Amino acid sequence: MTLLTYQVFKTVADIGSFHKAADILGLTPSAVSHTITNMEKELGFTVLSRSKSGISLTNYGEKILPYINAVLNSDESLQQMINDMNGLHTGRVKIGVFSSVCTSWLPDIMDSFRQKYENISIEVYQGTYDDVADWIKTGVVDLGFLSLSSAGDIPIEPLYRDSLLCVLPKGMGKNDSSEYMKVEDMQHMSFVTQRESTDADIQNFLRENNLKIQSKYHVVDDLSTIRLVEKGFGICLMPELVMHDIPYEVDTYRLKPDASRVIGIAILNRNLVAPAVRTMYNHIVENYKQEEFYKERKLP
């Protein structure tokens, strides 16, 4: 099989359509279909399921896709290395992000990076913590933002400590006039919660403080959660980064005991990546790492 075969397979898998994949690759739909058919004959099993609803991966296709991604990423790395040796700063970087980083950090990161490396393109994939971790492991993205608690066995460089806040409907008040919300004050309050793949750090705080909450609302989106709080359906815990420029009428309090999540940049092996990826990684660490996490070391 050729690199073109791998590229055709990946594009069809990503798009879910022979016709759309053909448009992207500059091929005819019949050429795309023929390439996949020959690939399946050579492999000895079916990698794509065709139906009236579209194209999807078979179990076999899902298993080989990460390896196909690895081959294509290796070829991309080789081409970037050759260009780098010839003094051409080109390439592509695929970044995985969760919501609050996508809205608060990423536009500035991309803008500052583009000003220095205008010939390096950036692709952005937004999802939950679990999505980003999976994309890093399977080669869908080159690097991604995660919290330390969600990174698992993926190497991660800590960048930013983000305090957790308690969010209440505007004017709801609490038992005392302090600027903190204590765990015992929240014991009998109703909560609006998110899935653990979205707010693992908050779920950890609840477990560590034996805070058994009652909630009828289980959402994914940060703004949806805060909107429900504004309308009086409960309170929530939310990272401070999320609360910047929120348009809703809510009050926020710091937690007691203090709690935070640590955001970092995760990558499987920063020494074995394409030059463009290493350049982006270094740019993020050098420009967006808080002083408390800084250690004297030479970046590769």
Side-chain angles (χ1 to χ4, degrees):
M1 286 178 285
T2 66
L3 284 172
L4 178 59
T5 300
Y6 295 150
Q7 186 63 61
V8 169
F9 170 67
K10 174 176 170 53
T11 305
V12 174
D14 289 345
I15 301 301
S17 164
F18 284 165
H19 282 79
K20 292 180 180 178
D23 289 340
I24 292 172
L25 296 169
L27 302 172
T28 64
S30 61
V32 170
S33 179
H34 183 69
T35 298
I36 296 298
T37 299
N38 286 341
M39 177 184 180
E40 291 176 329
K41 286 180 180 179
E42 188 170 345
L43 290 171
F45 51 77
T46 302
V47 295
L48 293 173
S49 174
R50 293 88 161 163
S51 68
K52 293 181 179 180
S53 59
I55 307 296
S56 60
L57 288 169
T58 65
N59 289 337
Y60 291 122
E62 290 179 353
K63 289 179 179 178
I64 69 168
L65 182 57
Y67 298 95
I68 299 295
N69 285 335
V71 171
L72 293 172
N73 288 340
S74 293
D75 180 66
E76 174 77 14
S77 296
L78 174 61
Q79 297 304 318
Q80 288 188 28
M81 182 62 72
I82 293 171
N83 289 335
D84 195 55
M85 293 170 69
N86 287 319
L88 304 173
H89 296 290
T90 63
R92 178 183 58 171
V93 182
K94 295 172 289 182
I95 304 177
V97 292
F98 52 90
S99 179
S100 53
V101 166
C102 191
T103 57
S104 299
W105 278 12
L106 196 62
D108 182 61
I109 290 173
M110 293 175 63
D111 183 58
S112 61
F113 187 80
R114 181 178 55 189
Q115 291 180 28
K116 296 179 66 176
Y117 308 101
E118 60 181 14
N119 293 321
I120 297 178
S121 63
I122 302 172
E123 293 185 15
V124 177
Y125 294 73
Q126 183 184 351
T128 65
Y129 287 152
D130 286 353
D131 291 331
V132 175
D134 184 62
W135 291 334
I136 293 172
K137 289 180 177 179
T138 58
V140 173
V141 299
D142 300 304
L143 48 79
F145 288 92
L146 290 169
S147 71
L148 261 61
S149 63
S150 65
D153 58 354
I154 304 174
I156 184 168
E157 182 77 17
L159 300 173
Y160 181 81
R161 186 177 300 280
D162 190 17
S163 295
L164 299 184
L165 304 176
C166 183
V167 185
L168 281 69
K170 190 74 173 178
M172 174 179 174
K174 54 191 190 67
N175 294 336
D176 57 52
S177 58
S178 72
E179 61 186 52
Y180 297 97
M181 176 64 76
K182 300 175 183 176
V183 169
E184 51 266 32
D185 293 332
M186 296 183 282
Q187 288 285 358
H188 304 292
M189 293 183 177
S190 297
F191 273 74
V192 179
T193 59
Q194 294 178 290
R195 285 167 28 198
E196 191 156 354
S197 62
T198 305
D199 70 348
D201 304 279
I202 292 171
Q203 295 297 328
N204 287 342
F205 173 82
L206 297 176
R207 282 192 294 268
E208 290 167 1
N209 291 277
N210 297 314
L211 191 55
K212 298 178 181 180
I213 64 172
Q214 301 293 323
S215 179
K216 299 178 182 178
Y217 315 101
H218 309 276
V219 296
V220 175
D221 180 66
D222 295 329
L223 291 182
S224 297
T225 304
I226 300 167
R227 177 65 168 166
L228 287 171
V229 170
E230 181 193 38
K231 291 301 180 181
F233 291 100
I235 69 171
C236 73
L237 303 183
M238 195 65 64
E240 188 171 16
L241 194 63
V242 174
M243 301 305 296
H244 291 174
D245 301 320
I246 287 295
Y248 303 132
E249 293 293 318
V250 293
D251 292 324
T252 59
Y253 296 90
R254 296 197 175 276
L255 298 175
K256 199 166 188 176
D258 183 59
S260 62
R261 66 174 176 177
V262 174
I263 299 171
I265 187 72
I267 190 169
L268 287 181
N269 191 329
R270 57 189 173 86
N271 295 316
L272 297 176
V273 295
V277 177
R278 186 180 299 112
T279 300
M280 172 61 83
Y281 179 91
N282 290 345
H283 177 79
I284 292 171
V285 172
E286 290 169 355
N287 292 282
Y288 296 90
K289 189 171 185 178
Q290 279 183 333
E291 184 65 29
E292 69 171 289
F293 298 117
Y294 180 77
K295 294 180 181 178
E296 287 290 341
R297 63 181 179 82
K298 184 178 180 181
L299 295 171

